[in-house]
Amino acid sequence: MEENRARLIAAARKAFAEQGYAAASMDELTAQAGLTRGALYHNFGDKRGLLAAVVNQIDAEMAARAQEIAAKAGDGWEALLAEGAAYIEMALEPEVQRIVLLDGPAVLGDPSRWDSQNKCLEVTIITLERLIAEDVVKPVDPEAAARLINGAALNAALWVAASDEPRDVLAKAIEAFRALATGLLAKPA
C-alpha cells in the first residue's frame, strides 16, 4: 500500500509540475503509476487529496533544504533570516512555483492551514523563543512573531512565483523580508 502511495505521488508530482493541477488527467496519472483510479481514491480520496499529499511532500523538502541553509549560517538570528530567504528563493523553481505556490493555494486554500506550513511555524516559534530568551529578539509573543515572519516569507514567495519577472522580484522580496524581520531585533542591526 505504501508503495502504491509513493507511485501515485511521484506520478502526480510530475503531472502537476508539467501540466498543472487542472489539466492533469487522473486516468493518465494513474496509468503512469501503473495503478487504477480506485487506487487513487483508496489512498487519497480524490485528486485534491493527492495534490495535498504532493504539496506536503514538496513543502517538507523545501523546509529541510531551508533548514540546511540556515544551519550553514549559524544557529542564531542570521540562520532565521537565511531560512526565510531560502524559502523565498525556492519560488524560482518551476515545480515549487506551480504546485506549492500557485495550484496549492488555489485548490487547497489558505497555506497557513496546511500541516506542512504549521510544522514550519512550530520550528520558527521554538527558534524565536530561544532568541527572545537570549535577548536577541524583543520580548514579543513568539507565535505572533513566527506567524508574521513565516507569512512574510510565504507571501514573498507567492509574489515571486506569480511575477512576470521573478528574478527581479526575488531581490526586492528578500531585501524587504530581511528589513521587516530586523524590526524584531532587541538591538538595532
Side-chain angles (χ1 to χ4, degrees):
M1 188 154 146
E2 199 55 42
E3 182 183 324
N4 286 349
R5 282 182 61 83
R7 287 169 47 196
L8 284 164
I9 288 172
R13 188 168 171 163
K14 184 177 187 303
F16 295 158
E18 291 173 359
Q19 302 163 20
Y21 174 81
S25 159
M26 290 193 341
D27 289 332
E28 289 175 18
L29 189 151
T30 53
Q32 184 75 28
L35 298 166
T36 64
R37 265 186 165 200
L40 184 145
Y41 292 128
H42 177 74
N43 284 284
F44 302 101
D46 57 14
K47 186 178 175 183
R48 185 178 184 278
L50 181 56
L51 175 65
V54 171
V55 165
N56 190 50
Q57 183 181 70
I58 296 170
D59 221 7
E61 291 168 6
M62 291 171 68
R65 286 172 39 209
Q67 288 169 1
E68 284 176 26
I69 291 165
K72 292 176 186 168
D75 67 350
W77 178 252
E78 283 302 318
L80 183 66
L81 292 181
E83 187 174 344
Y87 186 88
I88 297 165
E89 191 166 340
M90 288 179 220
L92 293 176
E93 299 172 17
E95 180 183 58
V96 169
Q97 274 183 5
R98 179 165 239 167
I99 297 172
V100 176
L101 299 171
L102 299 176
D103 286 347
V107 176
L108 303 174
D110 181 4
S112 72
R113 297 188 178 273
W114 299 352
D115 287 341
S116 56
Q117 288 289 319
N118 284 311
K119 288 176 187 161
C120 291
L121 178 67
E122 289 169 16
V123 171
T124 306
I125 291 170
I126 292 166
T127 300
L128 284 167
E129 288 171 340
R130 183 174 45 79
L131 292 172
I132 290 167
E134 295 169 356
D135 292 323
V136 173
V137 169
K138 293 175 184 170
V140 296
D141 182 84
E143 181 181 355
R147 286 186 180 280
L148 293 173
I149 287 172
N150 285 14
L154 174 61
N155 278 291
L158 290 167
W159 181 33
V160 171
S163 172
D164 291 335
E165 300 294 332
R167 291 212 175 272
D168 294 340
V169 168
L170 176 67
K172 295 178 212 176
I174 290 176
E175 179 183 14
F177 170 77
R178 292 181 70 89
L180 283 169
T182 300
L184 291 169
L185 286 175
K187 298 172 186 102

